[in-house]
Structures are given as structure tokens and as C-alpha cells.
Amino acid sequence: MPAPDNSLRIRVLLAKDMPFGPGKADLLEAIRETGSIAAAGRRLGMSYQRAWDLASAMNSHFREPVLAPAKGGARGGGSALTPFGEEVLAAYREIEVLAAAAVAEKLDWLRQQMVRE
Amino acid sequence: MPAPDNSLRIRVLLAKDMPFGPGKADLLEAIRETGSIAAAGRRLGMSYQRAWDLASAMNSHFREPVLAPAKGGARGGGSALTPFGEEVLAAYREIEVLAAAAVAEKLDWLRQQMVRE
């Protein structure tokens, strides 16, 4: 489930050098859907190097892998979300939903303060 | 009042090309405290050009100015938050507080999934 809309972006600092925001969440989701880091990166307009770096950072900072090699991809070298990766992604998406609900009223007020276009 | 800690960063999209996040909020706060855009930019490690661009974008996108010329700065060329600018800043800080409270439990869970350092 993607974020409800694009108007609220949340980045959480999970450890000293481990921010987690829309980029990593979208990457996990795209890997689940495409079955590979390379294809996920392409879908998101991310370089292969960047997609790989983000995936690698997640796998090394979480206490369990969020991604694992998947058999049977197009050339047999795919990746899949682990069950733990699914939990992590779901937790972040829930954070987005909870935050959006909590701030809706104040955010509406701020939007009403903009110049009418 | 600054954000409670640095672990949650919120960026809201107020209009098509008007994101509002920690950078603009911190700039407003630093202008209030230093009395000038230049001094605020220096305090935040932001170039003068960037500080000026952010200030200008805010003044042109909000329905009223958030900043106004202030008399009596060091060389008479200072800036101050308008009462409306104070309201905008307070609304954003409240959004940070509301979001932090709403996501605290899920965020704790995510943090507990990190490798112990």
C-alpha cells in the first residue's frame, strides 16, 4: 500500500546513520513487485548503484535481512522481500498513515494560508 | 520551540511547488532570533543565496508575508517574522509534535529492529 498521497513525507532516523524515508520504502515495494533490485531501481528512476547501496544499507542495519536472493527471476538473480522486510515496510507505511491522520487539521489550515492559484 | 528531537523529519507539500519542512522552519526561527536573513543563513550553515531564496519563496507563496523589513538591525537592514509568520511557524512545529506523538509506538518498534551497536 503506497502512502495515501504525496503531500506528507516522513523520514525517521532509526540509527545514527540510518534514515528511513520514502526512498527506501518505495524501493522495498518496487523490489517486491519487480523481483529484482535492478528493475526496482529502474522503475523509480534510481541508478543501479544507488538502489544497490540502499538495499545493502537496509540489510546491514536491520537485525535480520529485509531482502533475500530469489530463485527463478528472469535470469535467476532476483531479490525478494523477506517476511521481516514485509513487516518493516508495513510499519513505515503505518507511520505515514498515523502521521497523516494526526496532522490533517493543522495541515489543512497551513494549505489555506497559501496564495490562491 | 524546536522539534522535540531530530529523529522525525516532516515535509509537507503546501502547494504544487511549495514544500515546507525543517529547512524553512529552522530558517524562520533563526531569522526571529538573529534579526536578519543573512545571519540566520550563517547560523544554519546555509548560503546567503539559499537563505534568501527560501525566504522569498515563503513570502510569495503565503497569502501574507511571513517576513517583513525590521528597523534597527545592526545596519538597519534586518528582517523580522510577522505575526502571521509566527502563526505559520507554530503550525508547522505543532505538526511535528502531533506526528511524533502519533507514530511513537511504531517508531519504537522499528528502532528495536536495528542491529545493536
Side-chain angles (χ1 to χ4, degrees):
Chain A
M1 181 183 61
D5 67 20
N6 200 22
S7 65
L8 185 70
R9 291 172 70 85
I10 307 255
R11 175 161 285 109
V12 293
L13 195 64
L14 296 182
K16 191 168 178 301
D17 50 354
M18 178 62 182
F20 193 102
K24 283 176 183 153
D26 290 351
L27 182 64
L28 290 181
E29 211 156 67
I31 291 169
R32 178 215 279 151
E33 287 167 18
T34 63
S36 90
I37 294 173
R42 279 194 300 273
R43 174 184 286 195
L44 298 172
M46 205 179 263
S47 72
Y48 179 73
Q49 186 63 48
R50 173 146 178 82
W52 186 265
D53 288 347
L54 292 181
S56 168
M58 286 189 275
N59 261 6
S60 63
H61 279 86
F62 280 105
R63 62 176 176 74
E64 289 182 30
V66 294
L67 297 169
K71 295 168 196 160
R75 288 190 296 267
S79 292
L81 260 65
T82 62
F84 177 68
E86 294 282 357
E87 277 190 273
V88 164
L89 177 59
Y92 175 78
R93 293 302 186 203
E94 196 173 335
I95 282 174
E96 289 185 312
V97 170
L98 291 167
V103 311
E105 195 177 333
K106 275 283 154 190
L107 181 50
D108 277 352
W109 181 86
L110 264 182
R111 286 224 177 88
Q112 286 159 16
Q113 309 312 312
M114 306 310 284
V115 169
R116 302 281 169 244
E117 291 174 42
Chain B
M1 180 182 64
D5 66 20
N6 200 21
S7 65
L8 185 68
R9 291 171 71 85
I10 306 256
R11 176 161 284 108
V12 293
L13 194 63
L14 295 182
K16 191 167 178 304
D17 50 353
M18 178 62 181
F20 192 103
K24 284 178 182 150
D26 290 351
L27 182 64
L28 290 181
E29 211 155 69
I31 291 169
R32 179 215 279 151
E33 288 168 18
T34 63
S36 90
I37 294 173
R42 279 194 301 274
R43 174 183 287 194
L44 298 172
M46 206 180 263
S47 72
Y48 179 73
Q49 187 62 48
R50 172 144 178 85
W52 186 265
D53 288 347
L54 292 181
S56 169
M58 285 190 274
N59 261 6
S60 63
H61 279 86
F62 280 106
R63 63 175 176 75
E64 289 181 31
V66 295
L67 298 169
K71 295 167 195 158
R75 287 189 298 267
S79 292
L81 260 66
T82 61
F84 177 69
E86 294 282 358
E87 278 189 273
V88 164
L89 177 59
Y92 175 78
R93 292 301 186 205
E94 196 173 334
I95 282 174
E96 289 184 312
V97 170
L98 290 168
V103 311
E105 195 177 333
K106 275 283 154 189
L107 182 50
D108 278 352
W109 181 86
L110 264 182
R111 286 225 178 86
Q112 286 160 15
Q113 310 313 314
M114 306 309 287
V115 169
R116 303 281 168 242
E117 292 174 39

